Amino acid sequence: MTRLPLVLFLLLVPLLSLRGQQEEVRRAEQLLKERGEVCFVFPRPPAEVLRELSHHLSLDRVDSDSVRAYANMQGFRYFLEQGLSYRLQMPPAAVKSRMTAASLQEAGGWDVYPTYPQYDSLMHAFAASHPDICHLDTFGTSHQGRLLLAVKISDNVETDEDEPAFLYTSTMHGDETGGYVMLLHLIDSLLSGYDQGGLVQHLIDSLEIWINPLANPDGTYHGGDSNISGATRYTADSIDLNRNFPDLVEGLHPDHHAYAVENVAMMQFLQKHHFVMSANFHAGAEVVNYPWDSWTSSERTHADDAWFYAISREYADTVHAHAPAGYMTYLDNGVTNGGDWYQISGGRQDYVTGFLHGREVTIELDNTKITPAADLLPLWNYNKRSLLNFMKEALRGISGYVTDSLTGAPVPARLVILHHDDDSCYSCTFSDSLTGYFSRPGISGTYDLQLTAGGYADKLLTAITIPPDSLVTLTILMSGPLSKEQFPATTFTLSPNPVRAGSTLRLVLPREDRYTIALTSPAGRQIILINRKKLGEGSNIFPLPAGIRGLWLITVTAERSAPETRKLIIY
């Protein structure tokens, strides 16, 4: 064979390389057009470069030598501008084996994926067949109009009892599907197992259990309502839901996008139910990830860091006892601090744990994104005991009521465990304004507990002992001197939150009085909505200015009680 002259060869190599790069970009642009996202792998850069990239890309997995990421059109263009080498990861080809059920009965075998109509029917059937312990809630709709569904499972399901609220949710990344069917299987297992007693009955009698199997239906059914093989990570609006929540470090819009409609609905749902514990399920790795995602452990740890590690360790170790060798052994044998793995902004785990004072972990179930149908039952068998044990953790710690010592009325108070909770108070607990009930898992030992509430003297409880694996119930009475007359604090509820700029805000006020209602921005700008106006007890509607957005503080002051302040997100 004739050899090319060296000079000609050296001239051709850059040309061939350029053509290869152009072809790769063309393929990426085609994927972005068809799917609204592209997945690619690139060599792991230095930490500071990776952190900056995370503001524009959806980092999906970070190993010692490589990074897998997703991007929409805007993010991919930014990545190309950095001049880094990469290779595309093409989406899976159409699965040859059957992935979706041919009938509702077949879908109920939990070894195949339901079609979207079958999913809707299954969720309705759960509630219809067990009305005493199961209630179906449609808490929103997706960008394309599919329903966002959750079931509540509890012994008095139509009553909001003073019990810890717990949430499992899955598949906010639409192509991470194993948890979707696993949670459907869990709902069925809880409902069918209630009359058999044991741990299942104990959990249902003691908790308000909420399960949302599919948080991103448009992504999962990107290929059509009867096919999951074309599933995408992003929403139909090209948003990564797990980078689209308010962030503790980067602010309200860390991904520079408006909140996805799915996340607006989810945030309202989360704030309404005040979940004390929760977990969200993903795929692409096999590991239990606990807070924080925004910081490494050397920068900041949660006050309950040891507890987070312990419950994550228990989840993974229980899995190991019932799974083949090698399953869920990534990183620290199946457990990791989120930021120590890789930092992200806008994740739901830190939103729930930081902004809402809950306690959430992220569980990566499967190295394979779209879990093959044949692996769905094994995945359930590996995880089912861990799922129950994890819920049980919400029944350990302290709970009780905070009330007025004279009237017995509920008092919305802040509970701080001295010398344990950090200055930012992300781990603090708040009693419910309507009932005075509170629940704080994640703590055992002997502590001093301090309570503060508007219009009341601070309350200090010393040497409260919480034995391991136990729940201590307290009744805490708050007394004066009050800052004004002998009236309880100005408690109120507001909805929706987040709320759209220029729309209306609904406040439920505790009694008739003259009220001043003010909005204050983080920079100190103040907007008076109402100034010393007489308002009635119950619901009152107020228009919001059209030109304000972001995080605001809303303060409600009555003439006969102390002011009360809450956070309000306006988008």
Side-chain angles (χ1 to χ4, degrees), residues 370-430:
I370 300 179
T371 301
D375 292 341
L376 290 173
L377 284 180
L379 193 71
W380 162 255
N381 288 324
Y382 303 160
N383 285 273
K384 63 181 179 182
R385 298 162 189 85
S386 295
L387 293 170
L388 298 178
N389 289 338
F390 191 82
M391 284 191 279
K392 190 166 59 176
E393 294 294 338
L395 297 172
R396 296 168 175 170
I398 56 173
S399 68
Y401 295 88
V402 184
T403 61
D404 186 292
S405 63
L406 296 178
T407 68
V411 174
R414 184 182 73 170
L415 294 80
V416 178
I417 298 176
L418 297 180
H419 313 298
H420 178 84
D421 289 328
D422 56 27
D423 292 340
S424 62
C425 217
Y426 295 138
S427 57
C428 296
T429 305
F430 294 82

Side-chain angles (χ1 to χ4, degrees), residues 184-510:
L184 287 170
H185 200 160
L186 176 63
I187 296 169
D188 180 65
S189 180
L190 291 171
L191 297 178
S192 61
Y194 180 68
D195 292 334
Q196 300 174 26
L199 177 57
V200 168
Q201 187 176 78
H202 175 62
L203 293 173
I204 294 174
D205 287 346
S206 306
L207 295 171
E208 292 195 344
I209 302 167
W210 288 85
I211 302 176
N212 161 233
L214 184 57
N216 181 7
D218 290 354
T220 298
Y221 292 100
H222 176 81
D225 281 353
S226 50
N227 177 20
I228 67 135
S229 65
T232 61
R233 176 188 182 92
Y234 289 1
T235 65
D237 204 22
S238 295
I239 300 294
D240 185 333
L241 293 179
N242 206 35
R243 305 294 186 271
N244 185 243
F245 285 94
D247 188 77
L248 297 167
V249 176
E250 303 292 340
L252 294 180
H253 295 282
D255 62 350
H256 311 294
H257 293 290
Y259 297 126
V261 293
E262 295 86 350
N263 272 359
V264 171
M266 179 60 77
M267 286 190 280
Q268 293 171 349
F269 176 71
L270 292 168
Q271 292 180 39
K272 177 181 179 181
H273 295 291
H274 307 293
F275 297 106
V276 301
M277 277 185 65
S278 52
N280 68 85
F281 292 95
H282 291 255
E286 295 170 356
V287 68
V288 183
N289 178 115
Y290 64 90
W292 299 105
D293 282 335
S294 298
W295 296 284
T296 66
S297 60
S298 62
E299 294 171 326
R300 180 192 288 268
T301 58
H302 192 278
D304 295 338
D305 182 74
W307 174 81
F308 269 116
Y309 180 81
I311 62 171
S312 301
R313 179 81 277 149
E314 180 186 24
Y315 190 102
D317 287 351
T318 303
V319 163
H320 297 158
H322 302 280
Y327 177 67
M328 200 172 281
T329 57
Y330 188 49
L331 300 174
D332 179 16
N333 199 27
V335 174
T336 188
N337 173 279
D340 288 349
W341 185 14
Y342 61 95
Q343 293 172 271
I344 68 166
S345 302
R348 210 193 82 169
Q349 172 178 276
D350 284 12
Y351 168 73
V352 170
T353 305
F355 282 88
L356 304 184
H357 306 279
R359 282 153 180 79
E360 176 158 303
V361 302
T362 302
I363 302 177
E364 304 273 357
L365 287 169
D366 192 355
N367 287 325
T368 304
K369 293 284 195 144
I370 300 179
T371 301
D375 292 341
L376 290 173
L377 284 180
L379 193 71
W380 162 255
N381 288 324
Y382 303 160
N383 285 273
K384 63 181 179 182
R385 298 162 189 85
S386 295
L387 293 170
L388 298 178
N389 289 338
F390 191 82
M391 284 191 279
K392 190 166 59 176
E393 294 294 338
L395 297 172
R396 296 168 175 170
I398 56 173
S399 68
Y401 295 88
V402 184
T403 61
D404 186 292
S405 63
L406 296 178
T407 68
V411 174
R414 184 182 73 170
L415 294 80
V416 178
I417 298 176
L418 297 180
H419 313 298
H420 178 84
D421 289 328
D422 56 27
D423 292 340
S424 62
C425 217
Y426 295 138
S427 57
C428 296
T429 305
F430 294 82
S431 57
D432 186 83
S433 61
L434 298 180
T435 65
Y437 178 76
F438 70 92
S439 180
R440 164 69 189 262
I443 193 74
S444 64
T446 300
Y447 297 96
D448 297 337
L449 181 64
Q450 185 177 57
L451 289 90
T452 58
Y456 290 87
D458 290 356
K459 181 91 171 187
L460 179 64
L461 304 177
T462 59
I464 301 297
T465 299
I466 304 121
D469 302 333
S470 300
L471 180 67
V472 173
T473 302
L474 305 173
T475 299
I476 303 171
L477 305 179
M478 301 292 287
S479 58
L482 301 179
S483 60
K484 295 189 178 181
E485 300 175 44
Q486 296 289 322
F487 280 83
T490 304
T491 60
F492 66 93
T493 60
L494 72 161
S495 63
N497 188 11
V499 62
R500 187 182 300 277
S503 63
T504 57
L505 186 67
R506 173 177 174 268
L507 270 69
V508 180
L509 300 173

Side-chain angles (χ1 to χ4, degrees), residues 23-35:
E23 176 62 19
E24 196 82 338
V25 170
R26 189 197 63 77
R27 294 166 67 198
E29 289 176 343
Q30 184 64 28
L31 287 171
L32 287 163
K33 181 179 178 181
E34 295 172 354
R35 297 170 58 82

Side-chain angles (χ1 to χ4, degrees), residues 61-75:
R61 176 165 175 148
V62 177
D63 290 319
S64 60
D65 59 350
S66 65
V67 177
R68 183 173 65 206
Y70 285 75
N72 56 20
M73 180 67 77
Q74 179 182 353

